[in-house]
Amino acid sequence: AQSVAQPEDQVNVAEGNPLTVKCTYSVSGNPYLFWYVQYPNRGLQFLLKYITGDNLVKGSYGFEAEFNKSQTSFHLKKPSALVSDSALYFCAVRDPTGGSYIPTFGRGTSLIVHP
Amino acid sequence: EAQVTQNPRYLITVTGKKLTVTCSQNMNHEYMSWYRQDPGLGLRQIYYSMNVEVTDKGDVPEGYKVSRKEKRNFPLILESPSPNQTSLYFCASLSGGHPNTEAFFGQGTRLTVV
């Protein structure tokens, strides 16, 4: 079975400061990991993914994420937050050894960037 | 343009009146899924489909039905809606042949049952 946890319901950060949104996962094999962002009144949009290779992956809007196999984590990061980054962020995992390939999503973390 | 289209975007209905929320994708994806999003609960999967005529229950299937008669369409049916089905609903599709690819989501349907 696959699962993902986002331990923080909300993250607050000042504009210009670095941000981190945490995600941990559990799968039986090597995971495929994804981050999505949801702006108000919109559907989820893909940000970035880790499949294999370099543990640091870069995505849209200046976001990056670091895969850490020993800690089973895939934290989302950005060096300098913008007010426009305020949104709901979801981490997701797909287990390529599973039968359905349907992703499991975390509960979401609300990121609030203060001016 | 690759997209998942849901209709309607907003719907207010009364308890017990059957309704259907449509979902269509233009990417020839095998997998489609319905989620509901509620405050504090994140995304919860209602039903999913791995291909035409193949559907299965997700985590919260009670009170919902789906069908997959064509690859592009995956409607969500509420036979007798109740107020506890008031929620924000999302349809998603993704490639089954390439599990390393991301999901595409519709814009959402905000349903209110009074």
Side-chain angles (χ1 to χ4, degrees), chain A residues 7-110:
Chain A
E8 303 154 316
D9 290 333
Q10 184 170 304
V11 170
N12 290 278
V13 64
E15 188 174 32
N17 283 358
L19 70 87
T20 299
V21 182
K22 296 179 180 177
C23 172
T24 59
Y25 66 90
S26 175
V27 298
S28 55
N30 293 318
Y32 293 158
L33 295 157
F34 304 81
W35 276 102
Y36 294 82
V37 60
Q38 183 184 25
Y39 297 105
N41 299 314
R42 301 293 297 276
L44 278 71
Q45 300 174 37
F46 169 73
L47 263 183
L48 51 79
K49 63 184 176 185
Y50 171 83
I51 303 302
T52 187
D54 194 347
N55 288 344
L56 185 65
V57 293
K58 296 186 183 298
S60 308
Y61 313 121
F63 283 92
E64 56 190 28
E66 186 169 14
F67 171 65
N68 187 317
K69 188 172 184 178
S70 63
Q71 296 185 6
T72 62
S73 67
F74 189 54
H75 300 332
L76 181 70
K77 301 181 179 184
K78 187 173 182 181
S80 178
L82 300 171
V83 172
S84 58
D85 293 330
S86 298
L88 192 55
Y89 291 82
F90 289 92
C91 182
V93 64
R94 287 176 94 176
D95 182 353
T97 61
S100 72
Y101 295 149
I102 298 294
T104 296
F105 288 85
R107 291 174 59 164
T109 298
S110 177

Side-chain angles (χ1 to χ4, degrees), chain B residues 14-89:
Chain B
V14 296
T15 299
K17 186 177 181 180
K18 181 180 178 180
L19 66 90
T20 299
V21 183
T22 64
C23 175
S24 180
Q25 51 96 1
N26 63 358
M27 294 162 281
N28 202 37
H29 284 165
E30 293 81 7
Y31 294 103
M32 298 185 74
S33 183
W34 276 103
Y35 298 88
R36 62 177 288 174
Q37 184 179 22
D38 302 289
L41 299 176
L43 287 174
R44 293 183 292 170
Q45 191 176 50
I46 303 171
Y47 269 94
Y48 64 94
S49 170
M50 295 167 66
N51 215 323
V52 175
E53 302 292 1
V54 181
T55 63
D56 209 346
K57 297 177 181 178
D59 300 319
V60 288
E62 292 77 21
Y64 304 94
K65 285 177 57 178
V66 294
S67 69
R68 189 90 182 274
K69 293 182 170 53
E70 305 165 285
K71 200 171 188 180
R72 64 182 292 121
N73 296 322
F74 190 45
L76 180 69
I77 304 157
L78 284 72
E79 294 270 3
S80 183
S82 62
N84 63 13
Q85 293 178 298
T86 292
S87 186
L88 180 58
Y89 291 86

